[in-house]
Every structure is written in C-alpha cells, then in structure tokens.
Amino acid sequence: MTKHYTLSQLADAVGADLQGDPAQPIEKIATLLNAGSQDIAFLANKKYRSQLASTQAGAVILAPSEAEHFPGNKLVCDNPYVAYAKLAQYMDTTPDSAQGIHERASVHESVIIGKNVSIGANAVIEAGVELGDDVQIGPGCFVGKHTRIGAKTKLWANVTIYHEVVIGESCLFQSGAVIGSDGFGYANEGGEWVKIPQLGSVIIGNRVEVGASTTIDRGALDDTVIHDNVILDNQIQIAHNVEIGYGTAIAGCSVMAGSVKIGKHCQIGGMVAVNGHNEVCDGVVITGMSMVTKGISEPGIYSSGMPHTTNKEWRKNIAHLRNLSDFKARLKALESLTEQLKHTDN
C-alpha cells in the first residue's frame, strides 16, 4: 500500500526551506523526466536544468542557485543530492530481512540474543555468538562461532560470517557477502603447497556497508580491519591483513591485495587493483581500472587505465608501446650526437 506524505513533512525530514504548498501530497521520489503530479524530484546536476521546464513533478528539491528556474513547489537546500538521500531513507519501503526467530533457524543454546532480534529460515548461528539489539539475520545466513554482531546490523539472505569475526553497529551486508574466509596464505616446499592457517580475524566498525558477493578475508596473524563509515560495492576482494580507513568508498570488482593499507576518505573506482603491501594515504581518488603497483603518499587523483579506442588505433598504439625501449635508445643516441655537434661547432 502506497504511503502519502505532505510536502511539509518532507521539508521537516530533511531540513529544507519549503517554497510552495505545504499540503502538497507526495507518494514517491522520481526523476525530473518521469515524475508525476504526486512525485518529488530533485536537481543535483545542472546539466538537467532544462528538464525543469517540462517536469510534471509535484515538487522539486533544488539548490538556492537553481530555485529561480522552477516556479512550482520546491524544497530548497544547500545539497540537493544529500537531501535526496535522506528523503529516500525517510520514505524507504525496503522490508526487513527477517521477522522474529523462524522455527527453521538453527540457533545454538549459548547464543546471546539482544532485544528485537530477527533470524530467518535455515539460518545457522553457532556457539558463543553475540547478537546486539535489533539485529536482522536473513534466511540461509551462517554466523560462525564466537562472532559478535552489533546492534541494528542487517544481513540479507545467504551472508556467511566465519568464526570470531567482530562487526559493529548499524552495518549492512548484501546477499552473498563472505566475511572472515581464509586469506591466501601458503608456503612452497619443493613444489608442494603447504597451507598456512589464517589465525587472525576480521574487525568491522560501525555503519559499514558491504555489497553483494564481496569477500573480506581474515588476517594471517593480525586482523583485517575495516574502519567506521566504509562503503564497499559488489564483488570486491579484500585480502588478508588489509586495513581500510574511515569513510573510504570502493566501487565494484576492485581488489585490495594482502597487507594493503588504505587511508581515510579515499574513493577507489571500479576494477582497481592495489598490489600487496602498499599504502595509500588519506584523501586519494583512484579512477576506474587503475593498477596501483607502489604506494601513494600525496592526496590527489590518480589514474592508469587506458581509455577505449578503436581496435585499429589500439593495435597501432600497442605496437609503438612495444618499441618504447628501442625509441628510448635511439633518442639517447640522438641526444649524444647533438651534444657532440655542439662541441664541434664551438
């Protein structure tokens, strides 16, 4: 059933300045292009300003600098995109991952269960686990021995948390995430691989979000650590003993190899690979498909991926790339000859 709001309620929810009809009914958030008369839209990018003239939205969230371009009902605030995010939370209709403790859940008698905890069907909660208040464990999840999960953390279906993992409060784990699996540790003895048991754990802070099918390996001896307010997209690999600093965001299909340390407030694009034992300082942005083979000690934007081009041009560029060493040697020879000619002229 659709819930209705008034524009006045939404203005209060996000702390925006309401200009227009406070009683305007709002059903949902929509784009400027597709919004109807009972929808609210937002303008966060000025390249879509032209759509203000034709939108049918019942109201629009705008920055003060854009307010004059829309004569209808509006919520005016400094950061429309953040206001949209907060409004989406306020109007969120996403269901709980579980309701109550299902009769087909397997919960060991020693588990410490807080208030209002929900555990879905076929979930397995092993001995010594502690679940804080309002924790939600979706169907088919596995939580290993002596793991601690903080209040208001939510696991969607089929999340796997290995033994002795520590997870903070208000975290979110999408389906298929695996936390605390073995790091890739082996020794080689005459061509035979000798497994090194991974004796560390994974420590995850508060308000961390982990995407679908993302894997965070446990440490070899020390722990893998994910600090507060980190967001990880889908299908990311976090190897053993990695540390990710406060407020860092990593996009899908990226790989952080063993013992990498990422600083605070970094932004790492999709399909980025950071080579093992390297450190990236605070405030670094790494664009998609980059390969980081050495540490980064200065904040800034870094790139290494090659943008796409036609196959013909790419083959030509690669041919030149293969001959760089020869080009360098010829250039040095020309520089040497130039210096000789200068001395001859003098």
Side-chain angles (χ1 to χ4, degrees):
M1 182 177 178
T2 302
K3 185 174 180 179
H4 291 76
Y5 304 85
T6 66
L7 194 56
S8 177
Q9 287 176 303
L10 302 186
D12 290 342
V14 299
D17 177 29
L18 192 162
Q19 297 181 18
D21 181 8
Q24 166 67 37
I26 299 294
E27 290 186 358
K28 67 182 189 299
I29 308 170
T31 62
L32 286 168
L33 186 63
N34 295 317
S37 62
Q38 294 193 4
D39 298 336
I40 186 168
F42 67 98
L43 177 67
N45 189 326
K46 64 182 181 181
K47 75 178 184 179
Y48 297 109
R49 181 191 293 161
S50 61
Q51 295 181 8
L52 289 175
S54 58
T55 187
Q56 300 299 305
V60 177
I61 306 170
L62 298 158
S65 60
E66 302 289 349
E68 64 180 299
H69 299 290
F70 183 67
N73 298 315
K74 50 203 166 195
L75 300 184
V76 180
C77 57
D78 291 335
N79 193 326
Y81 197 68
V82 170
Y84 151 64
K86 292 180 177 179
L87 203 60
Q89 290 183 7
Y90 183 73
M91 303 172 70
D92 188 15
T93 58
T94 303
D96 294 338
S97 61
Q99 291 185 334
I101 298 178
H102 198 280
E103 61 183 9
R104 292 203 305 273
S106 176
V107 182
H108 193 274
E109 61 184 10
S110 65
V111 173
I112 298 174
I113 300 177
K115 300 175 183 177
N116 196 35
V117 168
S118 298
I119 303 174
N122 303 318
V124 176
I125 316 296
E126 291 201 322
V129 168
E130 297 181 23
L131 303 177
D133 296 346
D134 300 304
V135 164
Q136 297 178 28
I137 308 291
C141 289
F142 172 85
V143 181
K145 294 179 179 179
H146 305 294
T147 281
R148 302 201 308 271
I149 299 179
K152 298 182 179 179
T153 285
K154 179 178 183 178
L155 279 59
W156 279 104
N158 302 314
V159 171
T160 297
I161 311 290
Y162 279 60
H163 54 283
E164 298 176 1
V165 170
V166 178
I167 297 171
E169 299 182 358
S170 301
C171 296
L172 175 63
F173 295 82
Q174 301 290 348
S175 292
V178 177
I179 313 300
S181 49
D182 279 356
F184 197 57
Y186 298 86
N188 192 288
E189 184 179 35
E192 298 295 322
W193 292 111
V194 180
K195 183 173 179 60
I196 301 172
Q198 302 294 280
L199 304 178
S201 185
V202 177
I203 309 297
I204 295 178
N206 302 318
R207 307 183 316 284
V208 171
E209 298 203 4
V210 177
S213 299
T214 283
T215 300
I216 303 176
D217 289 342
R218 67 193 315 108
L221 294 173
D222 296 326
D223 300 323
T224 301
V225 180
I226 313 296
H227 289 278
D228 295 354
N229 193 34
V230 166
I231 53 174
L232 304 175
D233 197 3
N234 301 334
Q235 298 179 329
I236 291 171
Q237 163 65 20
I238 306 294
H240 56 185
N241 300 107
V242 168
E243 181 176 356
I244 300 178
Y246 182 98
T248 284
I250 304 179
C253 299
S254 291
V255 176
M256 306 295 112
S259 299
V260 160
K261 185 174 182 181
I262 307 294
K264 302 174 184 176
H265 302 295
C266 293
Q267 298 178 44
I268 298 177
M271 298 184 71
V272 167
V274 182
N275 202 24
H277 301 274
N278 282 310
E279 184 169 342
V280 175
C281 71
D282 299 346
V284 166
V285 176
I286 303 173
T287 61
M289 297 188 70
S290 294
M291 179 178 289
V292 180
T293 58
K294 61 182 181 179
I296 298 175
S297 58
E298 294 290 334
I301 302 175
Y302 295 81
S303 302
S304 72
M306 182 179 291
H308 83 278
T309 182
T310 63
N311 180 261
K312 182 178 181 180
E313 185 177 355
W314 179 81
R315 289 165 66 90
K316 186 186 297 183
N317 289 338
I318 289 299
H320 291 322
L321 186 64
R322 288 174 175 167
N323 292 317
L324 280 181
S325 295
D326 181 52
F327 291 158
K328 181 180 179 181
R330 292 166 64 184
L331 180 60
K332 290 184 71 174
L334 285 171
E335 288 175 340
S336 178
L337 179 60
T338 299
E339 288 298 319
Q340 292 177 23
L341 292 173
K342 286 180 179 178
H343 291 306
T344 301
D345 292 342
N346 292 334

